[in-house]
Amino acid sequence: MAHDKKIIVGNWKMNLDMHEASLYLHKLSQIVKVHRDVEVILAPTTLSLQSLSLQVNLRQFKLAAQNFYWRDRGYFTGEVSATQLRGIVQYGLVGHSERRHIFNESDKDIRNKVAAAIRNGIRPILCIGETAWEKSSGETFDVLHDQLIGALANITSQELDQVIVAYEPVWSIGNGQSASPSDVTSAVKAIRKQIEHLYGAKAAEAIQVLYGGSVTPDSAADYLALPGVDGLLVGAASLDAYIFSEIIKKAHKGSEVAKED
Ligand code: PEP
């Protein structure tokens, strides 16, 4: 099923301080009009989320947490919970490869985070993808299978409606080495097949699947045109409001709606 709305996520990672984040949002809101056919989601650092939540026009952009802890409250020094992010963000990244590989997040952590997000009314954007070594060993589909099973083990069919999956091959993140259209098409097909196996054909059609990995304004349209790709997760190219707006424009096909202040 082709979704009417494309999703474009900007993951700023550990970049932009609070002042820069606020200026960025101001600039982006001047450049990008409200598009009914594109959901634009900004994922700043946790530090900037609250102030941006007061500044953002939710008709224009939504906010995502890059990370959160899965317990709702308690003795967990330095952590922020999905419960605490309720009402501040609409989405949350889960299982980003930098969290899996630099911070050693396990399948269990990721499963708990998917559940915590849903429990707290936050839509999880579940990132999955193989490393270069796994790709060269022919293990891509096994990795996608295992990561999906691991993350969704406690999720009901009804809850699955809230989940977005992002296919992010680890070898293509942050290095300009984007995946080929045929790699992305076959990975997205494998993801939907696995969802069909777990939740049935309707769920497999309905789930929104994104691609992420060194997307630029030049490559965005080609990825967005691939069958089964509902949007993009963008890292480096989202750090400049103008460059990011060029990617958003590629996702926008319908009529522009004048921005309402
Ligand atoms: C990401 O951070 O998820 C990402 C895809 O980064 P980049 O676009 O820089 O590869």
Side-chain angles (χ1 to χ4, degrees):
M1 182 175 71
H3 290 274
D4 308 340
K5 219 170 185 169
K6 294 289 185 195
I7 297 173
I8 305 292
V9 187
N11 175 16
W12 300 352
K13 312 194 188 199
M14 201 173 69
N15 295 295
L16 308 187
D17 63 23
M18 278 173 66
H19 180 63
E20 290 163 338
S22 172
L23 286 177
Y24 178 115
L25 178 57
H26 177 71
K27 192 169 164 193
L28 192 70
S29 62
Q30 298 301 304
I31 310 171
V32 174
K33 304 221 163 117
V34 172
H35 298 309
R36 289 211 180 95
D37 56 357
V38 189
E39 176 94 325
V40 179
I41 303 169
L42 303 173
T45 58
T46 307
L47 185 65
S48 300
L49 279 172
Q50 202 216 355
S51 57
L52 292 190
S53 76
L54 300 174
Q55 185 184 336
V56 73
N57 171 0
L58 287 177
R59 288 190 61 239
Q60 205 174 12
F61 310 122
K62 301 287 195 289
L63 293 175
Q66 292 177 17
N67 183 39
F68 51 88
Y69 190 49
W70 60 272
R71 298 267 192 199
D72 287 343
R73 61 188 61 76
Y75 304 118
F76 303 105
T77 301
E79 295 297 322
V80 172
S81 71
T83 308
Q84 291 168 319
L85 290 165
R86 262 188 110 104
I88 293 178
V89 300
Q90 295 70 46
Y91 295 87
L93 300 185
V94 179
H96 190 280
S97 65
E98 287 153 16
R99 304 272 348 146
R100 290 181 194 261
H101 298 290
I102 303 173
F103 299 99
N104 298 321
E105 280 191 10
S106 66
D107 282 343
K108 186 167 171 235
D109 295 325
I110 291 161
R111 170 157 70 245
N112 284 331
K113 287 183 178 197
V114 169
I118 293 173
R119 180 167 79 237
N120 285 289
I122 294 168
R123 291 191 69 187
I125 301 173
L126 170 65
C127 305
I128 60 174
E130 80 286 1
T131 62
W133 188 84
E134 289 161 339
K135 181 178 164 60
S136 64
S137 317
E139 290 175 14
T140 298
F141 297 147
D142 292 336
V143 170
L144 298 179
H145 169 274
D146 292 353
Q147 290 183 347
L148 274 176
I149 298 237
L152 299 177
N154 299 330
I155 299 303
T156 64
S157 302
Q158 217 176 359
E159 290 170 333
L160 188 75
D161 288 352
Q162 297 304 308
V163 177
I164 296 170
V165 176
Y167 171 55
E168 294 218 303
V170 181
W171 49 269
S172 77
I173 295 179
N175 57 14
Q177 231 190 304
S178 48
S180 73
S182 73
D183 278 344
V184 177
T185 305
S186 55
V188 167
K189 209 166 151 194
I191 290 167
R192 291 192 190 276
K193 198 100 211 108
Q194 183 59 26
I195 296 291
E196 181 177 349
H197 183 67
L198 295 171
Y199 296 95
K202 264 197 181 157
E205 268 188 43
I207 195 156
Q208 292 159 301
V209 182
L210 317 181
Y211 166 69
S214 298
V215 173
T216 63
D218 287 339
S219 63
D222 289 343
Y223 287 121
L224 288 166
L226 295 176
V229 173
D230 297 305
L232 303 169
L233 176 43
V234 185
S238 74
L239 286 178
D240 178 284
Y242 177 74
I243 295 173
F244 190 50
S245 76
E246 290 297 304
I247 294 176
I248 297 167
K249 276 189 210 156
K250 299 281 161 63
H252 161 56
K253 290 201 218 87
S255 58
E256 265 182 7
V257 178
K259 192 171 59 130
E260 285 173 18
D261 289 320

